């Protein structure tokens, strides 16, 4: 694939991801990154580092997203019992309900991204 064509494909990907994020915000009131954080935690209690590893977000960006999810009342922060520097996160009832709604109702995936989700439907 020539370099210019590669950039054009990336443009289409970014446009489709932006469209997906707009749909998530309209239907569920959360961004794509916030949804990824909810999905990363699920029913577990996990450390911030695990969220970063699961989402691929940079630690500084993940910190902002985690704070945003907390501010929406979807996430609880707990400090480690033995080491208070350790921070763990778990979903609130509201966070679990939001994630459950996404799992049950889903989201309309933009046409350009649809082939990527064939195996997951």
């Amino acid at each position: 694939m020539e370099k210019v064509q590669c950039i054009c494909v990336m443009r289409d990907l970014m446009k489709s991801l932006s469209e997906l994020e707009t749909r998530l915000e309209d239907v569920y009131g959360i961004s794509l990154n916030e949804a990824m954080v909810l999905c990363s935690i699920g029913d577990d209690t996990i450390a911030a580092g695990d969220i970063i590893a699961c989402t691929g977000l940079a630690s500084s960006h993940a910190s902002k997203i985690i704070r945003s999810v907390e501010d929406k009342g979807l996430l609880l922060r707990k400090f480690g019992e033995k080491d208070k520097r350790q921070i763990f996160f778990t979903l609130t009832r509201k966070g679990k309900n939001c994630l459950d709604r996404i799992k049950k109702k889903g989201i309309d995936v933009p046409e350009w991204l649809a082939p990527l989700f064939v195996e997951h439907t």
Side-chain angles (χ1 to χ4, degrees), residues 49-69:
D50 295 328
I51 294 172
I52 290 166
C54 192
T55 61
L57 296 169
S59 58
S60 60
H61 190 61
S63 178
K64 291 175 188 174
I65 301 301
I66 289 168
R67 173 61 68 192
S68 174
V69 176

Side-chain angles (χ1 to χ4, degrees), residues 15-26:
K15 183 178 173 187
S16 294
L17 288 172
S18 178
E19 186 179 335
L20 178 65
E21 180 162 51
T22 298
R23 291 176 185 178
L24 274 168
E25 289 171 344
D26 289 348

Side-chain angles (χ1 to χ4, degrees), residues 71-120:
D71 290 346
K72 291 181 179 183
L74 305 173
L75 188 64
L76 285 175
R77 178 184 301 244
K78 297 177 184 179
F79 294 95
E81 292 179 17
K82 294 180 183 177
D83 185 349
K84 299 296 182 192
R85 295 173 296 176
Q86 289 184 314
I87 302 172
F88 298 94
F89 298 94
T90 188
L91 298 183
T92 62
R93 181 177 308 274
K94 183 178 175 183
K96 288 179 183 181
N97 288 341
C98 182
L99 184 57
D100 286 344
R101 282 191 346 263
I102 293 170
K103 287 178 178 179
K104 288 177 185 168
K105 186 177 178 186
I107 192 76
D108 290 331
V109 176
E111 186 177 328
W112 198 91
L113 295 173
L116 300 174
F117 293 93
V118 171
E119 291 182 23
H120 302 284

